[in-house]
Structures are given as C-alpha cells and as structure tokens.
C-alpha cells in the first residue's frame, strides 16, 4: 500500500494504476472510505476515469472484490492496459501521459501533469460556432476569429472550408516524448493534437474539423526524410507552409544555409513570430524534420525558421492548424 501511495502522489504517469491498486488493497481490508478516496485521485480528464467511477460505485456498494476488471477495457497509465481478466499487460508504444486540469474560465494557465502544458478554454456553443463560420464566409481570409477560447488566424477560405492557425502558442511540450529518430507520423505531438486537443475543443467545434491529407516532404535544406503522408484533423505547419502562408516566401529556393532563415521583415509584418498566453515571445514547432531525424524544425521567437531543428524531446510551443467545415451542422 505504501508503494502504491508513493507512485500515486509523486508521478502523474502512474496516478491512475496506483489509485486502482490502493483501492483494491483498502477495499480488501474493509476500509471503504479510504478505497473511495483512492479512486477519487483519478482525474476526470484521464482515460481511466470511467473505470475509476465504476469501481468507485462498486466499492461503495460493498463489492470489495471489484476492481478495474469490472470496467471496460481501457488504458490506466503509460504501458498499462485494463484487461478482462484483470491483468496488467505491457503495450509496445505507451502513449505519454497528458492530463489537463479543468478550469471554468478561458485563458487561465493550467499546468498539466504530463509532457504538455495547455491553457484551458471554455468550448464554444453550437450557435457560437455557427456564427463564426458565417463570419469567416462573409469576411474571407486574413482576420482573427475566436473559437473555444482560442484566437484563430484565418489563412485560407474556399467555398465551404477555412484553414485556421492558432494565432498564439496554445500549449507547450515536446515534439516527441523521447529523443529518438521520429517523423511526424509517429511523433507525440501529432497524437496529442488529434486525440486530447481535438476533444478539448468541444463537440460543436470538433465535429466541424475536416480530416486533411497532410503532405510530409523532406527538409528543403537538408533533405532529411519526413516519413509518409498522413491523414489528420489537426496538425502543425511544415517549414514550407509557414514560410509561404505566413511570410509569402518560397522555401524551395533557399538552398542550404547555416543558421536561421530570416525574411527581412519585422515580426509585426508576418505571422511567424508568436506569443504564448502570457504575452511572451516564444518558439514553436514545425513538422518538417531538421538536419537529423531526431530533430524537428521550428520558428524562433523573433520569427525566423530554424531548419536545422531542435531535439525532438525539447519543450517547444504548439500552434495547431486545422481545416474547418463552414457549411455543415455543428
């Protein structure tokens, strides 16, 4: 029991599985209140939360043998999966833990208990989403719109869709959770954006996010392989997209260079430079690989693209991009 307690209270990556262990031990000795308290340690934002609530109800009802095996199959922590027979089985590629603490007001900094820090927002209502879609249709590209508490820059507009980019860095975290050779297809930030982040936008907005075929081309400077193309709902820009869409420049003509690619413009004259929610200039990830496969390109705080890249395990800013359906029901 002491070991479970240490794991649950010192490492968020193991809070959920340790809480289940604590509950089993305490329920077995008849300490129902303590078992319930252990299960209450599992945050509502964790995937194991439904299992924890089911076990909580069973323990409170006096079913002292109940455990996470009574719930549906699901992840309870990195590398652990709840199985029908109650065993804990190793998975081959554990997903790094990301926990976002819910707050009631937008733009309040929320420190997560995992690799990503995210500023939690209040999701937009269906009517708010509908009104913003109409505004984009009327105004076209170039403006800013507020959806789910995030200011989005409207980069492109077609007859029925719009490409949006977060105007500020909305989260900070690693491109990948460990320093290894990795491409966009397998990196952590891609999984986080298309799973946790998309869900945090709320159903009215998330239901309008259009799946997109994302082109992953080699580094225009170093030729580093970018891996296969992917189909994503949310993504980060490539070096080519950032240079073209935000600074009006063609990356293909650059050739190799030492250091950063600057555009001869002040940060105020293009959208490459970005602030975080505290108003501090910060750097942010691109999905283009750097000069080696364990690095990824990024945009420096002053608005320069560093195509040689940063180690994928470094903590950088995340500016999500997505295509929005302007006509479909929200």
């Amino acid at each position: 029991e002491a070991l479970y307690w240490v794991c649950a209270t010192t490492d968020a990556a193991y809070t959920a599985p340790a809480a289940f262990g604590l509950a089993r031990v305490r329920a077995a000795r008849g300490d129902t209140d303590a078992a319930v308290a252990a299960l209450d340690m599992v945050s509502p934002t964790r995937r194991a939360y439904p299992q924890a609530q089911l076990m909580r109800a069973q323990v409170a009802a006096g079913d002292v043998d109940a455990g996470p095996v009574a719930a549906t199959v699901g992840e309870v922590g990195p590398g652990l999966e709840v199985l029908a027979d109650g065993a804990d089985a190793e998975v081959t590629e554990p997903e790094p833990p990301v926990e976002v603490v819910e707050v009631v007001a937008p733009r309040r900094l929320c420190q997560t208990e995992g690799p990503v820090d995210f500023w939690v927002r209040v999701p937009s209502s269906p009517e708010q989403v509908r009104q913003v879609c109409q505004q984009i249709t009327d105004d076209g590209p170039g403006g800013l719109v507020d959806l789910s508490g995030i200011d989005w820059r409207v980069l492109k507009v077609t007859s029925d869709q719009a490409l949006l980019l977060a105007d500020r860095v909305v989260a900070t975290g690693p491109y990948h959770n460990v320093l290894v050779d990795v491409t966009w297809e397998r990196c952590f930030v891609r999984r986080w954006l298309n799973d946790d982040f998309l869900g945090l936008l709320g159903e009215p907005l998330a239901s309008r996010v259009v799946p997109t075929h994302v082109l992953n081309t080699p580094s225009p400077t170093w030729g580093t392989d970018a891996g296969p193309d992917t189909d994503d709902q949310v993504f980060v820009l490539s070096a080519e997209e950032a240079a073209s869409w935000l600074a009006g420049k063609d990356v293909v003509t650059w050739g190799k260079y030492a250091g950063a690619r600057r555009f001869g413009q002040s940060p105020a004259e293009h959208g490459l430079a970005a602030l975080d929610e505290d108003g501090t200039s910060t750097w942010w990830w691109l999905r283009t690989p750097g000069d080696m496969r364990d690095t990824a390109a990024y945009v420096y705080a002053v608005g320069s693209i560093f195509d040689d890249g940063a180690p994928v395990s470094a903590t950088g800013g995340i500016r999500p991009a997505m295509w929005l359906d302007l006509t479909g029901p929200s």
Side-chain angles (χ1 to χ4, degrees):
E1 181 176 355
L3 181 58
Y4 279 133
W5 175 255
V6 170
C7 291
T9 56
T10 61
D11 190 343
Y14 297 98
T15 296
F20 285 121
L22 272 175
R24 286 195 295 267
V25 171
R26 292 172 176 179
R29 70 165 183 258
D31 193 347
T32 300
D33 291 341
V36 168
L39 294 166
D40 286 342
M41 297 173 71
V42 181
S43 166
T45 61
R46 300 306 292 263
R47 291 177 180 166
Y49 182 71
Q51 291 94 325
Q53 289 299 291
L54 178 57
M55 184 178 177
R56 187 184 190 280
Q58 292 168 327
V59 169
D63 186 359
V64 296
D65 293 327
V69 297
T72 57
V73 174
E75 184 179 298
V76 297
L80 294 175
E81 195 173 63
V82 178
L83 303 180
D85 60 0
D88 288 330
E90 293 292 330
V91 295
T92 55
E93 288 195 14
E95 192 171 309
V98 177
E99 183 169 351
V100 179
V101 182
E102 184 177 359
V103 294
V104 296
R107 293 188 174 86
R108 174 179 173 185
L109 176 62
C110 175
Q111 299 290 334
T112 69
E113 296 184 32
V116 170
D117 286 347
F118 178 67
W119 286 267
V120 179
R121 277 86 171 173
V122 175
S124 293
S125 68
E127 179 59 21
Q128 289 171 328
V129 173
R130 189 197 65 77
Q131 290 177 356
V132 169
C133 287
Q134 185 60 55
Q135 176 187 340
I136 295 173
T137 301
D138 294 340
D139 297 345
L144 291 176
V145 294
D146 184 337
L147 285 167
S148 293
I150 297 173
D151 287 332
W152 298 90
R153 184 175 296 275
V154 183
L155 298 182
K156 292 185 175 183
V157 178
T158 68
S159 60
D160 58 355
Q161 296 181 9
L163 175 62
L164 307 182
L165 172 71
D167 189 54
R168 293 192 174 200
V169 165
V170 302
T172 58
Y175 188 80
H176 196 56
N177 56 308
V178 291
L179 184 57
V180 296
D181 290 356
V182 69
T183 62
W184 169 252
E185 178 194 24
R186 291 186 168 273
C187 75
F188 161 69
V189 74
R190 176 179 177 237
R191 297 198 302 270
W192 183 78
L193 285 171
N194 286 277
D195 185 358
D196 298 312
F197 175 77
L198 186 63
L200 291 166
L201 295 179
E203 178 62 22
L205 177 55
S207 64
R208 284 190 182 244
V209 178
V210 181
T212 302
H213 186 70
V214 175
L215 299 177
N216 295 305
T217 56
S219 166
T221 305
W222 309 106
T224 314
D225 179 40
D229 295 345
T230 54
D231 293 307
D232 302 314
Q233 290 180 275
V234 190
F235 53 97
V236 297
L237 300 183
S238 68
E240 294 96 327
E241 291 165 349
S244 175
W245 296 344
L246 300 179
K249 300 295 180 179
D250 182 3
V251 177
V252 178
T253 64
W254 288 2
K256 289 191 175 182
Y257 62 89
R261 175 56 56 186
R262 299 175 176 85
F263 294 107
Q265 299 169 296
S266 70
E269 293 175 318
H270 58 66
L272 281 166
L275 306 176
D276 63 21
E277 287 296 332
D278 290 330
T280 303
S281 296
T282 190
W283 65 278
W284 50 283
W285 290 112
L286 301 171
R287 70 175 188 274
T288 301
D291 58 352
M292 295 184 291
R293 294 193 66 182
D294 62 354
T295 64
Y298 65 96
V299 176
Y300 192 53
V302 297
S304 304
I305 293 180
F306 274 65
D307 215 9
D308 49 354
V312 295
S313 57
T315 299
I318 302 171
R319 289 180 75 182
M322 60 188 187
W323 281 93
L324 189 68
D325 180 3
L326 300 176
T327 60
S330 59

